[in-house]
């Protein structure tokens, strides 16, 4: 069973609908018991970094999520803000992130040809192959909406990059934890393929 974490931010129903299209048994919940019972976890999120982290801490789920991620090694997929909070923090605010991946989020610099936020369909370039993208189509494009980008301390934690005036990490991972800066739930068949892979892969596939 996949748990879609409800902590007050995120496109919960859109993510659940995409998971159902992928054939996954997926529930939306903000209960600690649901975190403990889940086989896999999706951490969605939209909006401001500080607001997201405060809402997550207020939810009382952080301890259970830390145990699921770091002790039980459950596969976890962060989406957009849910991906950014996997790291140490962000220039968007002063709240610490979950610290599961050694990374920091930076604001896109101002550039006439590249307005912020980065809001468009865009490609990803695989840097370090991951089973989630093993069958990715050459024409695959994903939907992005963000003003801050992830910057990993360890290049091996970068699965894919995207170019928007500069190359930035658009998919990150560390062991069982993976995050996409784009929204798979809004990325039609390409996002469906990713969620389908997340549903079908075994725990060991994320740790290899």
């Amino acid at each position: 069973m996949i748990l879609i974490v409800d902590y007050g931010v995120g496109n919960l129903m859109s993510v659940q609908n995409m998971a159902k299209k992928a054939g996954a048994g997926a529930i939306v919940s903000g209960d600690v018991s649901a975190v403990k019972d889940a086989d896999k976890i999706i951490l969605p999120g939209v909006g401001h970094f500080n607001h997201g982290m405060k809402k997550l801490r207020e939810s009382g789920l952080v301890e259970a999520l830390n145990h699921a991620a770091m002790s039980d090694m459950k596969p976890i997929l962060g989406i957009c803000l849910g991906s950014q909070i996997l790291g140490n923090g962000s220039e968007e605010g002063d709240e610490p992130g979950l610290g599961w991946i050694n990374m920091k989020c930076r604001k896109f610099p101002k550039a006439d040809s590249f307005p912020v936020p980065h809001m468009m369909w865009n490609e990803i370039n695989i840097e370090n192959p991951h089973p989630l993208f093993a069958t990715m189509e050459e024409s695959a494009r994903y939907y992005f909406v963000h003003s801050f980008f992830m910057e990993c301390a360890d290049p091996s934690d970068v699965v894919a990059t995207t170019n928007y005036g500069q190359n930035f990490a658009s998919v990150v991972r560390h062991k069982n934890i993976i995050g996409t800066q784009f929204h798979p739930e809004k990325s039609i068949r390409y996002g469906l393929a990713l969620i389908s892979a997340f549903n079908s892969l075994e725990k060991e596939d994320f740790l290899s």
Side-chain angles (χ1 to χ4, degrees), residues 9-112:
V9 297
N11 301 317
L12 302 175
M13 294 303 104
S14 296
V15 176
Q16 186 180 37
N17 288 338
M18 183 63 88
K20 287 182 176 178
K21 287 182 181 178
I27 66 165
V28 174
S29 178
D31 293 336
V32 169
S33 60
V35 176
K36 294 177 179 178
D37 292 342
D39 299 308
K40 298 174 184 176
I41 296 170
I42 295 179
L43 189 63
V46 294
H48 193 279
F49 188 95
N50 268 12
H51 177 70
M53 280 307 307
K54 286 177 180 178
K55 293 290 287 184
L56 186 58
R57 290 198 172 91
E58 289 169 1
S59 73
L61 294 172
V62 171
E63 183 178 353
L65 287 169
N66 280 336
H67 192 273
M70 311 305 289
S71 297
D72 293 340
M73 304 295 284
K74 294 182 180 183
I76 296 179
L77 172 63
I79 296 174
C80 197
L81 177 62
S83 181
Q84 293 184 354
I85 65 175
L86 301 176
N88 302 320
S90 173
E91 291 179 345
E92 191 174 20
D94 54 7
E95 285 284 326
L98 291 168
W100 298 346
I101 300 178
N102 188 9
M103 67 179 185
K104 179 89 172 180
C105 292
R106 311 289 185 189
K107 186 173 179 61
F108 278 114
K110 292 183 179 179
D112 292 340

Side-chain angles (χ1 to χ4, degrees), residues 7 20 27 69 123 141 150 163 188 193:
Y7 60 107
K20 287 182 176 178
I27 66 165
E123 299 175 348
R141 299 171 70 83
M150 301 175 290
N163 188 273
I188 54 173

